Amino acid sequence: MNIAVCVKQVPDSAAKVVAEDDRVSWGDAPLVLNPWDEYAVEAALQLQEAAGGEVTAVSVGGESAKEALKTALAMGCTQAILVSDPALAAADSQAIAHVLCAAIQKIGGVEAACFGRQAIDGDMGVTGAQTAHLLGWLMLGLVSKIEFKDGKLQVERSFEEGIQIAECPLPAALSVSKDIGEPRYPSFMGIRKAARAEIPTWDLAALGIEAPASVVRWPRISNPPVREIKTEMIEGGSPQEIAEKLVERILEEKVL
Amino acid sequence: MNGKILVYIDQFKGEALPVSWEALGAAGMLGAPAGGSVSVLVLGAESRRVAEQAFQFGIQQAYYCDDATLDDYRPDPYAAVVTAAARAGAYDVLLFPTTVRGREQAALSAVELGGGVMPDVTALEVSDGRLVATRPVYAGKLLAEVVCDAAPVVITTRVRAFKKPSADPALKGEPVRVEAAVPEGDIRIKVTGYRQAEAGVSLTDANVVVAGGRGVANNPALSPPAGLDEKAAEIWRGEQGFKLIDELAAVLGAAVGASRAAVDAGYIPYEHQVGQTGKIVSPDLYIALGISGAIQHQAGMRSSKVIVAINKDPDAPIFKLARFGVVGDIYQIVPPLTEEFRKRLEK
């Protein structure tokens, strides 16, 4: 069974991002593999250990996204593919889903596709389900545990009220939550392999598709209004005195 | 826009998830000025009861489907009913609550119906006849205005971003049952079991959150039971620290949150994590205990109305967000704080 893991390159979570002229700027903060996608890679590798086959990491983005793919390779993915095309510069989630769908079909023999729960830049969290729908595959969102048994996937899915345990045949797409397990560290061999890897780039022509329509636009990105917070430090001679003062001040705020 | 809006009410066993009614509040804001209408759709076991409840919020129509194939949530049979209802009503806006099911159904219906999806929005306005949504991006470090050039516009509303509409129990109506669209034999996912989440106040819905960080493990007065290795002893210390947090949370009717550091150290399960790779919360009161306030943690709680921080490091970044701060050891201050709240709130 071949597995695809769809990943994105994003600014590091510690980056100081600001809006400048309606666009996003993250200064010289590093670009990294989306943290949620590390869990998707982990899930794909767990599946591979159970079911065999190859794991292909796929990313849509610019040339720099090869660095995120190299992280996925270093973690243990078999190969990586970058999909890059100037026509995708303003692609929305649905357009990206069309592209991933075409890429997964071109890889061939893929029966499971893993996604992170969302990318930490756009915070959309819809691309996995949309790609699954376009592939005509089952979608299993927010999977916290995965097993492969008798040709079927057995998963646990997190909902607000609890965990649902379900099984389904392949092919299927899944997005994974943090509970899937800590992403493995790149091994020494993995890092060497990734450093030497030639990552092929596919454009839309290579995928055999036209630029898919993008209907969602982001005309303006701004900094959130600055909150004027006057911090009042509470002091006192004893913990008891501090506690009394603090409770008094909190009650005055009328939030309880 | 024609102002015809369909709101998906997410429910479990006959209880709507609270953010569902908030989505209805967002719909009321948009539909009425445009001369439109607001309908709701509720799926699953006991959905009729929820559909009946919806009428008290002044909606025009409630649709439900309690077919046995929808007893357990499965994306495809749910999406088939949602998209059939959306097509039949020619709605130009579909609103979903930002829940696991709501976000998934929004994604699926947008791609099936050829619309566009804007998940997790915190504000909506109509400008020149066009819907403009505001969404926090980069974990709330930035705000994006988002527009959609195709119909239907599919939106999910963030928890606690919109007001639940006021209810009038005198308003009643007869819900309309719609048919399931996929027979059981064609549904490939089988649900084989279920595990209830641990009891307690839901973090994302909570009015008050009490959260602990790595600092909860620093009580020098405690000594771990003999025989624990270093790692186990640290986890034991962390768990003891969270007992303080639990007691304060119980008195305040609050949910318990945690920093990533506390979760990674094994003091408390991941479902309590607040921050960029955890849950985003926006309570009226957020009490941060022994949390330094890394930028990733701030992303998950900075929109809280009143933030209180207790930390022994006077330079902890959390104090910059706090309305009230105390420099001190939490294991000295939290027990009297809990007692004082108990006394004052009983009155």
Side-chain angles (χ1 to χ4, degrees):
Chain A
M1 173 177 80
N2 288 338
I3 302 158
V5 53
C6 302
V7 302
K8 188 176 183 183
Q9 187 185 44
V10 297
D12 186 79
S13 67
K16 275 225 178 291
V17 289
V18 290
E20 284 169 4
D21 303 325
D22 294 343
R23 302 319 313 163
V24 181
S25 162
W26 51 84
D28 52 8
L31 292 166
V32 298
L33 175 62
N34 174 39
W36 294 110
D37 295 346
E38 292 182 17
Y39 295 92
V41 172
E42 174 60 33
L45 295 172
Q46 286 181 14
L47 260 182
Q48 181 195 36
E49 284 159 4
E54 296 190 332
V55 176
T56 305
V58 187
S59 188
V60 181
E63 186 69 17
S64 72
K66 283 186 176 172
E67 291 307 311
L69 288 168
K70 284 187 175 174
T71 306
L73 284 173
M75 287 173 71
C77 292
T78 322
Q79 56 178 345
I81 290 157
L82 175 68
V83 180
S84 197
D85 196 301
L88 295 172
D92 67 6
S93 68
Q94 249 143 282
I96 296 293
H98 277 280
V99 171
L100 289 173
C101 172
I104 287 168
Q105 285 166 339
K106 185 176 159 77
I107 291 166
V110 176
E111 291 181 89
C114 299
F115 293 80
R117 70 174 290 170
Q118 65 199 55
I120 64 163
D121 51 1
D123 286 331
M124 295 286 283
V126 295
T127 310
Q130 296 191 317
T131 306
H133 187 80
L134 293 170
L135 286 163
W137 292 8
L138 296 169
M139 177 64 199
L140 301 160
L142 285 191
V143 168
S144 51
K145 193 175 168 194
I146 183 166
E147 275 178 49
F148 181 75
K149 248 190 208 156
D150 307 327
K152 285 184 169 183
L153 289 180
Q154 297 189 339
V155 299
E156 297 190 2
R157 295 192 60 187
S158 306
F159 292 93
E160 281 78 6
E161 66 281 338
I163 301 283
Q164 185 191 69
I165 303 156
E167 63 170 45
C168 77
L170 298 166
L174 40 112
S175 79
V176 299
S177 78
K178 229 178 146 174
D179 293 317
I180 201 83
E182 267 313 295
R184 60 198 69 189
Y185 285 107
S187 66
F188 178 69
M189 290 301 288
I191 293 167
R192 281 183 47 175
K193 182 183 149 210
R196 286 198 307 260
E198 288 288 334
I199 297 175
T201 303
W202 293 348
D203 59 10
L204 291 176
L207 292 177
I209 58 170
E210 301 280 317
S214 283
V215 298
V216 175
R217 291 181 294 113
W218 306 45
R220 186 163 177 262
I221 292 182
S222 60
N223 297 303
V226 179
R227 285 178 68 182
E228 286 295 325
I229 300 169
K230 226 180 97 231
T231 305
E232 185 181 327
M233 300 307 289
I234 310 283
E235 292 167 354
S238 68
Q240 179 63 33
E241 188 188 338
I242 292 171
E244 284 170 20
K245 278 191 194 169
L246 183 56
V247 168
E248 187 61 38
R249 300 294 286 120
I250 292 171
L251 291 176
E252 282 166 16
E253 295 284 327
K254 304 211 181 303
V255 286
L256 281 172
Chain B
M1 53 181 276
N2 64 20
K4 279 194 79 181
I5 300 174
L6 181 67
V7 181
Y8 177 88
I9 303 294
D10 194 9
Q11 64 105 18
F12 184 70
K13 291 188 172 168
E15 291 290 334
L17 276 68
V19 58
S20 299
W21 302 131
E22 295 165 17
L24 201 49
M29 253 167 48
L30 296 175
S37 63
V38 177
S39 302
V40 303
L41 175 65
V42 201
L43 306 185
E46 301 179 60
S47 53
R48 185 189 162 90
R49 181 147 60 96
V50 180
E52 282 171 353
Q53 284 171 16
F55 279 103
Q56 63 184 320
F57 298 110
I59 57 162
Q60 275 65 52
Q61 191 52 268
Y63 301 97
Y64 74 99
C65 182
D66 56 3
D67 189 88
T69 54
L70 306 182
D71 279 359
D72 289 308
Y73 173 75
R74 292 173 292 182
D76 291 2
Y78 269 60
V81 180
V82 173
T83 51
R87 284 197 174 101
Y91 301 97
D92 62 4
V93 181
L94 306 181
L95 281 175
F96 296 78
T98 304
T99 58
V100 178
R101 287 178 286 262
R103 195 191 279 253
E104 188 162 274
Q105 288 300 313
L108 294 172
S109 57
V111 70
E112 171 65 21
L113 299 167
V117 64
M118 315 197 284
D120 215 17
V121 311
T122 53
L124 286 167
E125 60 168 352
V126 179
S127 160
D128 295 332
R130 172 195 279 281
L131 196 53
V132 181
T134 301
R135 326 182 39 242
V137 292
Y138 293 84
K141 292 176 200 166
L142 299 177
L143 294 176
E145 277 180 13
V146 194
V147 294
C148 176
D149 295 327
V153 180
V154 183
I155 288 166
T156 83
T157 60
R158 177 173 282 203
V159 177
R160 292 174 63 83
F162 296 90
K163 272 213 170 76
K164 176 181 170 179
S166 52
D168 177 357
L171 292 173
K172 287 190 163 54
E174 186 61 26
V176 174
R177 190 176 192 275
V178 295
E179 291 302 321
V182 187
E184 183 62 44
D186 291 347
I187 303 173
R188 289 169 292 167
I189 298 182
K190 305 294 170 204
V191 174
T192 56
Y194 194 76
R195 246 188 359 255
Q196 196 97 16
E198 98 182 51
V201 183
S202 147
L203 199 49
T204 42
D205 294 325
N207 290 320
V208 182
V209 173
V210 183
R214 191 110 199 197
V216 305
N218 291 346
N219 189 350
L222 290 175
S223 46
L228 294 183
D229 63 26
E230 201 177 324
K231 171 101 182 112
E234 195 207 333
I235 291 175
W236 182 88
R237 284 177 172 283
E239 287 170 350
Q240 299 307 306
F242 267 96
K243 284 184 182 164
L244 282 183
I245 311 258
D246 288 342
E247 283 164 23
L248 177 56
V251 168
L252 297 175
V256 174
S259 70
R260 178 179 178 160
V263 171
D264 285 354
Y267 304 163
I268 185 164
Y270 165 62
E271 65 204 66
H272 293 276
Q273 185 179 321
V274 171
Q276 188 152 16
T277 52
K279 293 195 166 86
I280 309 283
V281 302
S282 184
D284 292 334
L285 175 61
Y286 188 93
I287 303 182
L289 303 172
I291 293 178
S292 63
I295 190 164
Q296 295 92 336
H297 185 74
Q298 292 187 15
M301 46 67 79
R302 65 183 317 143
S303 64
S304 306
K305 204 163 156 194
V306 173
I307 295 167
V308 176
I310 305 179
N311 199 299
K312 67 177 181 186
D313 175 8
D315 297 324
I318 192 81
F319 287 122
K320 290 206 170 67
L321 295 181
R323 175 71 187 89
F324 302 117
V326 177
V327 177
D329 286 324
I330 58 164
Y331 45 86
Q332 287 179 2
I333 293 164
V334 174
L337 187 66
T338 303
E339 265 326 294
E340 192 61 21
F341 268 125
R342 196 194 307 274
K343 272 194 282 181
R344 295 292 301 270
L345 294 173
E346 263 173 12
K347 282 179 193 163

